[in-house]
Amino acid sequence: MTVKLKIENVSKIFGPRPKKIIPMIEKGISKEEILAKTGHTVGVYNASMEIMEGETFVIMGLSGSGKSTLIRCLNLLNRPTSGAIYVDGENVAGYNKTQLKYYRQKKIAMVFQHFGLFSHRTVLENIEYGLEVRGMSKVERQKIAQKHIETVGLKGYENKYPDELSGGMRQRVGIARALANDPDILLMDEPFSALDPLIRREMQLELLDIQNRLQKTIIFITHDVNEAFKIGDRVAVMKDGKVEQIGTPEEILAKPASNYISEFIRDIDRTKILQAENIMMKPFGLVSLKDGLNVATQVMRENGISSAFVTDRKRQLQGIVTIDQAIEGIRHKQTLEEVMSTDVITVAPDEYVQDIIPYVLESKYPIVVTDEDKTIRGIILRVHVLASIISDSTEETELETEV
Ligand SMILES: Nc1ncnc2c1ncn2[C@@H]1O[C@H](COP(=O)(O)OP(=O)(O)OP(=O)(O)O)[C@@H](O)[C@H]1O
Ligand SMILES: [Mg+2]
């Protein structure tokens, strides 16, 4: 994976003499105190992070925590007070006017919370705008705009005006307009927060879908933890201008770095975040087809379990055998293959817990997590699913279970 964007010790202080404020922050003087004493506002302090090419990186935090300030530093709508921002290895904070113009036209685009559309321009004309500014011919820019109208599912609305559209549709125009420049990096500052919950959910899925197709580097701001964890490959949590934690949703759920973050994630629906591989355990008591029924019986006895999964030599799942089946089989001189059952429920490692719950409730046996070639990756017991829903931590626990 290549680093697309590297933010290095970036601070942004608002006020007449911002550089003077940095030493005060270093001394540990709070944002409130600095404001009261000097009239300067700490927007962002000492933020560092690396964002990978093709990554969807979310910045989350309460109102005023510095999310917009940071994202605006990335396209230099805000000039950082200190620190560096590298895009493809170049420090954009040092760009001159011409370089900056090129950077903003070609490399980076922004989608705003309140759409920011031109009300006197049609959908098509709004999307064309950036290309028009660049001096592209009408035929060419309309062709590109049309393509992106289709990307965001607005075909047929080309000649409508923004006030003839719903909020969700307006934001689709905003996204298409940003995409029209074909930027590498897409900045999205709370793009969905003005939308009602149903439309919002639809737009989130749509964004994931667009991202799957286009593979941009997306930096997405939200103060909604469910949105952050649904969309983000990784999430940075900000508080009072500082970055408190950076990690994947699973990492943040498993080990929140502070009470602030624990509070944030308290109400999250874990079943929509955690995937099979996050809650599975190492498979135990596996028997190989070639081992036969006597070995199977012995394995079950040794492990204190009443059923065992059967694999081939490559650890690919073949079925399950219960202790009763094994004993009966031995009595009737049958083979393991003859007595085992093959109706084992399997799920992929990336299946969400939410979608696994019905299987777990229905199945007499543990659920098996397998790769596409049926290789066993782990097993999930009912108790794992329950623990993933209720516990604050997904760290592995020794569970006393009957299989
Ligand atoms: N242009 C500005 N001049 C002075 N202070 C500013 C300016 N822009 C932001 N701030 C201050 O910087 C801090 C961070 O603001 P910012 O807008 O980045 O927060 P945010 O996390 O985006 O919040 P929200 O969720 O409400 O959009 C706040 O204290 C804000 O008052
Ligand atoms: Mg903001």
Side-chain angles (χ1 to χ4, degrees):
M1 269 198 293
T2 11
V3 176
K4 184 73 193 173
L5 213 143
K6 183 172 176 186
I7 301 173
E8 201 171 74
N9 307 110
V10 165
S11 297
K12 176 66 187 177
I13 318 294
F14 296 101
R17 309 188 67 185
K19 284 207 192 299
K20 294 236 158 184
I21 304 303
I22 304 260
M24 296 179 71
I25 314 174
E26 279 163 5
K27 274 190 209 143
I29 302 174
S30 74
K31 178 173 165 163
E32 290 76 32
E33 220 177 322
I34 289 173
L35 180 63
K37 278 192 179 148
T38 71
H40 285 74
T41 306
V42 180
V44 171
Y45 176 65
N46 206 23
S48 294
M49 57 194 76
E50 284 185 347
I51 297 163
M52 303 299 155
E53 196 168 298
E55 184 171 34
T56 306
F57 191 92
V58 173
I59 301 174
M60 176 174 82
L62 296 178
S63 185
S65 59
K67 307 180 295 292
S68 296
T69 304
L70 181 60
I71 209 177
R72 289 166 64 89
C73 284
L74 303 182
N75 58 3
L76 300 174
L77 286 175
N78 282 336
R79 281 259 164 206
T81 305
S82 61
I85 293 158
Y86 297 95
V87 174
D88 295 327
E90 282 187 29
N91 185 3
V92 300
Y95 273 174
N96 65 29
K97 247 184 160 171
T98 320
Q99 288 171 312
L100 188 56
K101 191 171 159 202
Y102 176 83
Y103 173 62
R104 285 192 186 142
Q105 282 183 352
K106 293 290 293 176
K107 280 230 165 161
I108 198 158
M110 187 139 165
V111 179
F112 299 92
Q113 174 171 359
H114 294 292
F115 321 131
L117 303 179
F118 298 115
S119 57
H120 59 283
R121 285 177 160 249
T122 62
V123 166
L124 190 70
E125 288 164 351
N126 262 287
I127 298 172
E128 278 177 49
Y129 178 74
L131 304 171
E132 193 177 323
V133 171
R134 268 159 57 184
M136 191 180 279
S137 77
K138 197 174 171 105
V139 177
E140 208 178 336
R141 68 184 192 239
Q142 286 201 342
K143 205 172 107 196
I144 296 175
Q146 191 62 47
K147 184 178 103 189
H148 289 290
I149 283 178
E150 284 167 34
T151 308
V152 299
L154 278 183
K155 199 166 159 46
Y157 291 88
E158 293 82 351
N159 298 316
K160 300 275 184 221
Y161 286 89
D163 65 3
E164 296 176 281
L165 305 178
S166 70
M169 290 160 101
R170 280 184 218 180
Q171 197 53 297
R172 285 168 203 264
V173 179
I175 294 171
R177 184 179 56 186
L179 291 174
N181 279 328
D182 195 24
D184 297 356
I185 303 169
L186 203 56
L187 307 177
M188 306 183 87
D189 190 351
E190 307 217 28
F192 304 150
S193 36
L195 307 177
D196 66 59
L198 262 179
I199 304 292
R200 185 170 183 159
R201 235 170 292 155
E202 197 181 301
M203 291 298 289
Q204 291 164 349
L205 294 177
E206 200 121 347
L207 178 68
L208 290 172
D209 185 45
I210 291 174
Q211 171 65 339
N212 266 339
R213 279 181 281 149
L214 302 184
Q215 299 287 315
K216 302 284 179 191
T217 303
I218 297 182
I219 300 165
F220 185 104
I221 292 184
T222 182
H223 53 249
D224 174 351
V225 62
N226 282 298
E227 183 168 82
F229 282 13
K230 183 161 166 189
I231 287 180
D233 295 320
R234 284 185 306 148
V235 178
V237 189
M238 294 192 66
K239 184 191 178 207
D240 298 336
K242 294 180 192 157
V243 177
E244 289 251 314
Q245 185 171 13
I246 298 176
T248 63
E250 298 79 27
E251 284 165 359
I252 294 175
L253 269 182
K255 285 200 175 71
S258 66
N259 285 338
Y260 173 76
I261 295 174
S262 301
E263 273 303 301
F264 239 107
I265 60 179
R266 209 183 42 184
D267 298 326
I268 192 128
D269 185 346
R270 286 156 206 280
T271 65
K272 291 185 185 153
I273 311 291
L274 296 174
Q275 296 170 324
E277 60 188 347
N278 302 126
I279 64 164
M280 69 188 187
M281 68 187 297
K282 282 203 197 91
F284 58 91
L286 295 184
V287 290
S288 171
L289 263 184
K290 70 171 174 18
D291 288 341
L293 284 170
N294 284 312
V295 174
T297 315
Q298 192 186 339
V299 166
M300 285 187 260
R301 290 218 168 105
E302 277 169 7
N303 287 283
I305 51 181
S306 56
S307 60
F309 290 107
V310 183
T311 69
D312 63 10
R313 282 164 201 267
K314 290 193 199 141
R315 226 164 98 139
Q316 290 170 326
L317 179 68
Q318 302 297 313
I320 188 167
V321 61
T322 64
I323 189 81
D324 295 339
Q325 284 170 330
I327 291 168
E328 275 296 291
I330 291 167
R331 192 177 298 152
H332 295 102
K333 298 200 165 24
Q334 288 170 295
T335 64
L336 176 51
E337 194 161 11
E338 283 167 341
V339 302
M340 72 181 188
S341 327
T342 51
D343 58 342
V344 181
I345 297 177
T346 61
V347 296
D350 61 356
E351 191 112 21
Y352 286 102
V353 170
Q354 170 181 251
D355 303 321
I356 297 172
I357 292 173
Y359 301 137
V360 170
L361 294 178
E362 170 192 326
S363 174
K364 289 183 288 199
Y365 309 118
I367 307 292
V368 186
V369 183
T370 55
D371 287 328
E372 266 169 34
D373 67 356
K374 295 207 313 191
T375 307
I376 299 187
R377 292 273 304 273
I379 60 172
I380 296 176
L381 313 178
R382 198 182 278 246
V383 60
H384 292 143
V385 173
L386 292 177
S388 75
I389 297 171
I390 53 177
S391 85
D392 278 347
S393 160
T394 56
E395 277 172 74
E396 256 184 66
T397 39
E398 286 300 322
L399 296 162
E400 273 194 42
T401 51
E402 200 200 331
V403 179

